Amino acid sequence: MLGGKRVLDGVDLHVPATGRVGIVGRSGAGKSTLLSLVAGLDEPDAGEISIGGETLPAGRLARCALMPQRDCLLPWRSALDNAALALENAGLPRGEARRRAAPLFARLGLAGSEQLRPAKLSGGMRQRIAFLRTLLADKPVLLLDEPFGALDAITRAELQEWLADALAAEPRTVLLVTHDVEEALLLCERVLVLAAGRVVAELDVDVARNAPRRGVVTSPAFLELRERALEAIG
Amino acid sequence: MRRAWPPLALLAALVGLWELIVRAAHVPGYLFPTPSAVASSLADDSGLLGRATLVTVREIVLGYLFAVAVALLIAILLHFSAALRRALLPILVLSQTVPTVLLAPILAILLGYGIEPKLVVVAVVCFFPIVVNAVDGLRSADPELVRMMRTLHGGRLAIFRRVELPGALPAIFSGARIAATYAAVGAVFGEWAGSSAGLGFVILQAQPALETARIFAAVLILSALALCLYALVTLAERLLVPWQPEAHHA
Ligand SMILES: Nc1ncnc2c1ncn2[C@@H]1O[C@H](COP(=O)(O)OP(=O)(O)O)[C@@H](O)[C@H]1O
Ligand SMILES: [Mg+2]
């Protein structure tokens, strides 16, 4: 209950340890609320949330890294220091934290922006830095709230591929909230459609992913899933 | 610098008008000196005023730094302890109703006639705006940033160091700028309660001697000192809060 309003109701969800679940739905459906409950930032009024057997909020906080919908970069830190934030929080000296974060800048097309403060960066760059910061926290569970929403279509496709590769190399549990049904279907094994706080559809994505992206997104199986998701969103 | 021209021009015009009126009305110098008389006092008494200025500057700077240090320390304690905040903040507000003019003689009795009571008076008048702004600034950290920190290994101390404290710096500097304008007056009160040096003492001595131009000269120096301290604090803010594009100051 938030402000006396029932935001989520009867959501029942099980994700395997290396599973990737997409959550789509209109804005106000309760997607962000679901992520903060899972993260242990809030507690549900009823029901239970367990991550690897850990049900207490502190235990969930220790296992989850949340990339908030707003990038939440710290205005007083450079791009590099923002990306390295979780490492410093974990006790690494600043120099060492920077050394670990720096190589990833080039990989995400951020080379040259290391020393700039967030105010000097575009929305898309800020979002990539927030994404990096979340990955570098090195938690088993990633909660991504519309991580690529501020990016142009080309950069978004590149980052989706990069994320898919990174997750293939180093599997983690991912809850991906997005308003982009295609993105959810491309990156996740299962996609939930949330509407007014309830799960109104659950889709298993069993399309071949190793084919080139264009082939995947135009395959009949993919198109049918997309249709079903869009219909459920309403 | 362009913003400085209109007030400077107005000030020059007012000073000119003052000179004209006092001369035209033949007001005696001991009642109300002309600006030129004040200027010659500044020149003639430069040795006396210079020595007094050094004394007062020391009181202002040390008292101010003392106030900043104590105010930040207390603000941080209040920030971390809700119980202390509930108990101490109302008392701090209440303490502001005690006029400094009354406090100064008591401090002189308690601490003697050296520099200490003056430092304490300066610190007392400067302390409040800094502590109140700092407590507000620390408490008004963006809750979303704090939540983000909590999911990224951020403990209480990390949240304080990396989110709350840097976020509170603009508010802390607002308080420090207000306090900078009080410091000179505090030093004068301190000197009036008992001293044998400083600009406040010069004013006190010039009064029975009807050296009105010298009083004006001392007041002029005190204003200049307050302005300098204000400028220094503003400069420090530019250096320490570089992420604020254009700070909200006059
Ligand atoms: N702190 C709050 N107090 C009251 N209502 C809230 C609060 N946060 C979110 N809500 C409401 O909860 C619903 C779900 O919000 P949210 O989880 O942000 O949706 P989504 O992320 O799907 O857009 C919305 O109707 C919103 O108005
Ligand atoms: Mg949302």
Side-chain angles (χ1 to χ4, degrees):
Chain A
M1 302 279 268
L2 291 172
K5 185 173 172 234
R6 187 176 291 268
V7 173
L8 287 173
D9 194 7
V11 174
D12 188 8
L13 170 65
H14 180 83
V15 188
T18 61
R20 301 201 293 270
V21 172
I23 298 160
V24 296
R26 287 181 182 279
S27 78
K31 307 182 295 292
S32 298
T33 307
L34 180 61
L35 289 195
S36 37
L37 286 171
V38 173
L41 289 167
D42 295 307
E43 267 299 85
D45 300 298
E48 194 185 67
I49 302 165
S50 163
I51 301 176
E54 193 64 62
T55 54
L56 295 175
R60 305 207 305 272
L61 267 174
R63 283 166 176 71
C64 295
L66 171 70
M67 175 177 173
Q69 191 166 4
R70 243 181 68 202
D71 57 58
C72 288
L73 295 184
L74 300 178
W76 38 88
R77 288 195 155 225
S78 68
L80 184 58
D81 287 340
N82 264 294
L85 180 66
L87 297 172
E88 271 189 69
N89 284 345
L92 246 61
R94 180 171 283 198
E96 176 62 25
R98 282 177 177 165
R99 258 193 299 285
R100 289 213 203 158
L104 292 163
F105 267 63
R107 301 254 299 277
L108 294 191
L110 291 165
S113 68
E114 288 87 345
Q115 300 313 321
L116 298 177
R117 289 215 177 77
K120 293 252 184 297
L121 302 169
S122 71
M125 294 168 95
R126 294 170 60 112
Q127 208 164 32
R128 275 174 278 169
I129 291 157
F131 179 61
L132 247 186
R133 176 183 68 187
T134 316
L135 280 185
L136 283 167
D138 206 22
K139 304 268 193 107
V141 180
L142 291 180
L143 307 171
L144 308 175
D145 200 345
E146 311 210 0
F148 307 130
L151 301 176
D152 61 274
I154 295 169
T155 316
R156 188 188 313 182
E158 279 171 13
L159 273 193
Q160 285 167 355
E161 249 167 69
W162 186 83
L163 178 61
D165 289 349
L167 289 173
E170 196 184 333
R172 309 200 205 186
T173 315
V174 178
L175 286 189
L176 172 73
V177 163
T178 171
H179 54 248
D180 180 353
V181 172
E182 205 161 277
E183 175 172 283
L185 293 172
L186 270 173
L187 288 172
C188 301
E189 292 135 9
R190 200 138 54 95
V191 174
L192 302 187
V193 181
L194 215 57
R198 289 170 177 278
V199 178
V200 292
E202 231 178 303
L203 309 170
D204 281 310
V205 188
D206 42 13
V207 294
R209 267 175 239 273
N210 40 13
R213 179 192 170 96
R214 185 122 41 117
V216 175
V217 298
T218 53
S219 70
F222 191 91
L223 288 175
E224 199 224 312
L225 282 170
R226 209 184 74 148
E227 252 344 280
R228 277 170 58 197
L230 288 173
E231 200 168 304
I233 289 172
Chain B
M1 277 334 261
R2 191 167 294 169
R3 277 182 317 170
W5 282 116
L8 280 183
L10 181 62
L11 208 60
L14 287 175
V15 169
L17 199 64
W18 167 11
E19 179 89 33
L20 281 177
I21 291 175
V22 173
R23 275 176 193 245
H26 300 290
V27 182
Y30 62 86
L31 274 186
F32 207 86
T34 57
S36 53
V38 175
S40 28
S41 164
L42 274 175
D44 300 343
D45 306 334
S46 61
L48 173 85
L49 288 170
R51 279 190 301 279
T53 302
L54 283 184
V55 171
T56 304
V57 163
R58 223 163 91 87
E59 293 163 0
I60 290 175
V61 170
L62 293 178
Y64 184 78
L65 291 178
F66 184 49
V68 171
V70 174
L72 290 184
L73 197 72
I74 300 223
I76 291 169
L77 285 177
L78 291 181
H79 178 62
F80 275 97
S81 165
L84 201 60
R85 191 163 58 236
R86 274 193 298 274
L88 194 57
L89 212 50
I91 296 178
L92 284 180
V93 174
L94 211 64
S95 75
Q96 288 307 293
T97 58
V98 180
T100 323
V101 224
L102 300 184
L103 203 64
I106 299 172
L107 285 168
I109 294 168
L110 280 174
L111 299 170
Y113 292 85
I115 192 174
E116 295 85 1
K118 286 90 180 176
L119 297 192
V120 174
V121 177
V122 172
V124 163
V125 295
C126 295
F127 168 80
F128 190 70
I130 306 178
V131 83
V132 170
N133 277 282
V135 169
D136 273 356
L138 288 170
R139 278 169 62 80
S140 59
D142 183 342
E144 276 216 68
L145 295 186
V146 174
R147 285 160 68 88
M148 173 277 290
M149 285 291 281
R150 290 178 62 206
T151 78
L152 299 180
H153 304 292
R156 188 70 196 82
L157 196 64
I159 289 172
F160 174 72
R161 273 180 56 193
R162 307 205 167 103
V163 173
E164 291 170 335
L165 189 58
L169 280 179
I172 292 172
F173 272 104
S174 299
R177 262 184 280 120
I178 297 170
T181 64
Y182 295 170
V185 180
V188 169
F189 279 154
E191 289 174 10
W192 281 355
S195 70
S196 51
L199 289 168
F201 178 72
V202 165
I203 292 171
L204 222 50
Q205 275 207 319
Q207 200 183 2
L210 295 180
E211 298 266 23
T212 315
R214 190 184 293 165
I215 296 180
F216 272 68
V219 170
L220 201 63
I221 297 173
L222 282 166
S223 306
L225 292 181
L227 205 62
C228 282
L229 189 59
Y230 187 94
L232 277 177
V233 175
T234 306
L235 185 70
E237 178 172 17
R238 291 254 167 90
L239 294 176
L240 285 173
V241 193
W243 61 87
Q244 281 244 318
E246 254 310 304
H248 38 77
H249 45 64

